[in-house]
Amino acid sequence: MTSDVIEQNAAGRGSATGADDALKIDFCGMAFATPLVLLSGCVGFGDEYTRIEGFTHASVGAVCLKGTTGSARLGNRPHRVAETPMGMLNAIGLQNPGARYVVDHILPGLDFTSTRFIANVSGSTVEEYREVTQIFDDSPIDAIEINISCPNVKEGGVAFGNDPDMSARVVEACRGATKKPIITKLSPNQTDIAHNARRCIEAGTDGFAVINTLMGMAIDAETRRTIIGNNQGGLSGPAIKPVALLKVHQVYQVAKAHNIPIIGQGGVTNAEDALEFLIAGASAVGVGTALFYDPLVCDEINRGVSAYLTRHGFNNVSELTGTLTLNG
Amino acid sequence: MRRPLSIMRASPSEGWIELLYRVVGEGTALLSRKARGEQVNLIGPIGVPFRIDESRTLPLLIGGGVGVPPMVFLADAMRQSHKQLEPLVLMGSETPFPFRARPSQIMVSGIPGDVIAAMPLLEDWGIASRLASQQGYAGCHEGYVTDLARLWLEGLDGDALGKVSIFACGPEPMLAAVARLARDHDLPCQVSLEEYMACGVGGCAGCAVPIRTAEGVAMKRVCVDGPVFPAEAVFPG
């Protein structure tokens, strides 16, 4: 069937990278072939991008699967995405077939030798987070990422991640349900991300993903209506990179003393962006929205990071983490 | 972000595809300024195509606006690989058609005699086509393309009607009207949908739309589960 094989104009590009030892890192005890991580929500349940000729999971250290809840969710009405200046809004609404289905029917189809697969755990209640984590605990999944940006339906619909107490309760509940590495995905939509990070460390997180999307809105002036079906959505793409860099820097100030590593993410589109996140304090770098216009972008980022390491005399990419010099 | 575009013609043996698009924004403006020999980056082909039932020898292809090019593609596929079919292509547009219409030499019973404007490319292939618009373009049916389709269907006898199947692409109100038309005449109908897309490979679920299935409503991705769906699954009665 021709539609199963998608050809990508790859003129002048080599095959996948990933064999470079200088790019190999340890993240929460997991061996990553490169510091790159494909972000949750951008790459489905791990299989979809393999339709693209030239794409391979070997280019990245890990793949975060789509946000998964206790039972199946249909997600939001259209439109779910809209392009905005230097970025895009999305409000997918956690469409997923439920954790049990993912573990029983999707994970068995994934090639766990090609990369590390990380589950993204979501819920409407603390109990749901715990239950989903428990389901993934009894599976071959390599780690659990907690999406704490979901609305807390029992307490007024405020996102768990916007409040340090609620964040800590979610992390604590998940911690009690698994021994696998837990990565907490912090929201930028809060006053003091460093304080929240501190509480999550106390609650037992092993790592952080910084940042989730920034909430935004797009309006069609002609019709005077919102473009996104859900009215509001999460902003991603290069537009949010400066915000993300600051948040990574702030979380790193708290996390470094505890050896808690960070996946820095938000608008990464090339090697220079990735390097900036590493310098700001990230140990790994997430790539999401950039895949939408260049599915092979990770190979290019790997090559650029490798070249930088050689040029600056670093033996391994981990030596770059947190090497930022602030102005006195 | 990439934009989903339909293909108007393709030659696998010669290795080319032809796109027909209107310049509406920055992306299409940039595309229109590409010179011969320049490269463009695309992902494709994506999605599930129209399914052709060869026992239904009178396919009715309805394209509106952006839905015109895929109907040309489908007519071309029928011409090349399903020679026993006798397609009729009806097109609607409220902006000038992207070709110079010419009076058709192919008679179609049931179509009013003054509706003679046809697409030259289809005409050259020996495929009957007619145009509709509310803008009063010469030789076009004045009204909706679905009204013209209804006129044609109502002119068919029961035997001929049983050989019709409908294929449509265009704006949602047009597709809804096509679905009604198919339901009224108890005809199989497939519609090709448009939605904002991000990844184009099924990874982001950004283009999902509600589709009725045997198990109830499901959110299906237009990019890989579609864009073609049964009309009754998109527009239940």
Side-chain angles (χ1 to χ4, degrees):
Chain A
M1 206 169 111
T2 52
S3 62
D4 274 348
V5 179
I6 291 171
E7 289 186 22
Q8 152 89 5
N9 178 348
R13 297 199 183 184
S15 58
T17 53
D20 186 347
D21 277 352
L23 295 181
K24 288 181 180 164
I25 62 158
D26 173 281
F27 193 93
C28 295
M30 294 180 280
F32 280 12
T34 88
L36 302 187
V37 176
L38 300 184
L39 298 183
S40 180
C42 300
V43 290
F45 282 99
D47 213 20
E48 287 79 357
Y49 265 87
T50 57
R51 290 180 161 108
I52 303 244
E53 198 172 274
F55 179 91
T56 165
H57 284 140
S59 305
V60 297
V63 175
C64 293
L65 304 182
K66 192 161 174 16
T68 304
T69 49
S71 40
R73 289 200 195 180
L74 278 176
N76 293 331
R77 68 174 83 167
H79 303 303
R80 290 175 164 191
V81 293
E83 184 168 328
T84 55
M86 291 305 280
M88 62 176 281
L89 288 173
N90 87 81
I92 309 299
L94 286 173
Q95 180 180 350
N96 80 95
R100 192 73 261 163
Y101 183 93
V102 173
V103 168
D104 291 347
H105 301 283
I106 295 177
L107 298 190
L110 297 180
D111 177 8
F112 279 83
T113 65
S114 64
T115 190
R116 307 280 76 78
F117 287 102
I118 300 173
N120 180 285
V121 169
S122 304
S124 303
T125 61
V126 173
E127 178 53 28
E128 186 177 5
Y129 279 101
R130 196 198 58 75
E131 174 198 326
V132 176
T133 302
Q134 200 153 47
I135 293 171
F136 277 113
D137 184 59
D138 187 24
S139 85
I141 207 81
D142 290 296
I144 307 283
E145 177 180 63
I146 313 176
N147 170 16
I148 53 171
S149 299
C150 304
N152 179 351
V153 296
K154 282 189 181 165
E155 292 171 47
V158 175
F160 289 98
N162 294 9
D163 178 85
D165 284 334
M166 291 202 295
S167 300
R169 266 155 50 208
V170 171
V171 173
E172 205 177 338
C174 296
R175 180 75 286 167
T178 188
K179 294 239 176 335
K180 292 181 191 281
I182 287 180
I183 300 160
T184 305
K185 187 170 187 174
L186 296 176
S187 166
N189 305 304
Q190 57 179 318
T191 314
D192 187 351
I193 197 170
H195 175 56
N196 195 318
R198 201 173 293 117
R199 295 293 309 277
C200 291
I201 293 170
E202 288 162 9
T205 195
D206 299 299
F208 286 115
V210 183
I211 54 176
N212 207 329
T213 54
L214 285 140
M215 293 314 291
M217 180 181 269
I219 294 173
D220 181 342
E222 286 302 316
T223 59
R224 295 191 287 277
R225 296 181 69 97
T226 51
I227 293 173
I228 294 283
N230 186 52
N231 298 316
Q232 55 176 308
L235 180 64
S236 64
I240 71 167
K241 192 184 84 169
V243 177
L245 283 172
L246 176 63
K247 300 297 175 190
V248 168
H249 169 69
Q250 291 171 337
V251 172
Y252 181 66
Q253 301 314 307
V254 173
K256 64 181 172 188
H258 304 271
N259 286 319
I260 301 285
I262 298 167
I263 306 171
Q265 54 198 49
V268 173
T269 67
N270 55 37
E272 200 176 341
D273 295 335
L275 291 162
E276 291 167 14
F277 274 97
L278 294 165
I279 293 162
S283 297
V285 177
V287 181
T289 305
L291 290 170
F292 299 157
Y293 55 87
D294 185 358
L296 306 182
V297 70
C298 290
D299 293 336
E300 211 163 290
I301 296 175
N302 284 334
R303 273 193 294 275
V305 172
S306 282
Y308 177 93
L309 296 177
T310 307
R311 202 163 70 244
H312 288 265
F314 290 105
N315 294 314
N316 184 273
V317 67
S318 59
E319 295 164 26
L320 259 184
T321 299
T323 53
L324 179 68
T325 304
L326 295 175
N327 296 321
Chain B
M1 277 160 68
R2 292 171 183 271
R3 293 292 187 273
L5 290 176
S6 51
I7 298 171
M8 186 165 82
R9 282 201 296 168
S11 170
S13 59
E14 293 168 25
W16 54 262
I17 63 169
E18 192 172 78
L19 307 174
L20 175 66
Y21 60 91
R22 192 156 68 93
V23 175
V24 289
E26 213 176 320
T28 41
L30 286 168
L31 190 56
S32 72
R33 290 200 287 272
K34 288 276 182 188
R36 180 183 289 268
E38 276 189 76
Q39 289 205 336
V40 290
N41 183 302
L42 64 87
I43 296 177
I46 60 171
V48 175
F50 286 107
R51 284 156 296 268
I52 296 170
D53 175 358
E54 296 207 330
S55 71
R56 296 217 167 230
T57 54
L58 296 176
L60 172 60
L61 283 57
I62 304 176
V66 293
V68 164
M71 291 300 114
V72 175
F73 184 92
L74 182 59
D76 195 16
M78 288 175 173
R79 173 179 74 105
Q80 297 197 33
S81 311
H82 307 273
K83 295 186 197 302
Q84 73 280 29
L85 303 183
E86 286 178 59
L88 168 64
V89 183
L90 301 181
M91 297 174 173
S93 181
E94 300 312 321
T95 59
F97 285 93
F99 48 80
R100 191 185 293 270
R102 77 175 184 227
S104 181
Q105 302 299 311
I106 307 168
M107 293 302 110
V108 183
S109 61
I111 297 282
D114 57 339
V115 179
I116 54 166
M119 183 188 195
L121 180 66
L122 293 172
E123 192 78 5
D124 291 344
W125 290 344
I127 294 174
S129 65
R130 292 294 188 273
L131 311 179
S133 177
Q134 299 183 89
Q135 308 301 319
Y137 302 136
C140 297
H141 173 73
E142 199 154 341
Y144 289 123
V145 66
T146 41
D147 298 334
L148 185 58
R150 189 179 291 277
L151 284 175
W152 179 70
L153 288 171
E154 284 170 356
L156 296 176
D157 62 34
D159 188 40
L161 200 59
K163 295 177 184 163
V164 174
S165 62
I166 303 180
F167 305 84
C169 185
E172 190 173 317
M174 186 203 94
L175 294 181
V178 171
R180 269 196 306 278
L181 197 60
R183 203 163 45 241
D184 292 349
H185 293 86
D186 199 21
L187 297 172
C189 178
Q190 298 167 54
V191 294
S192 181
L193 303 184
E194 264 209 304
E195 185 49 66
Y196 294 166
M197 289 184 189
C199 76
V201 297
C204 72
C207 61
V209 294
I211 298 291
R212 280 76 186 170
T213 70
E215 292 83 40
V217 174
M219 296 301 289
K220 297 281 189 187
R221 299 159 299 184
V222 172
C223 69
V224 291
D225 302 321
V228 176
F229 295 100
E232 66 274 16
V234 183
F235 304 102

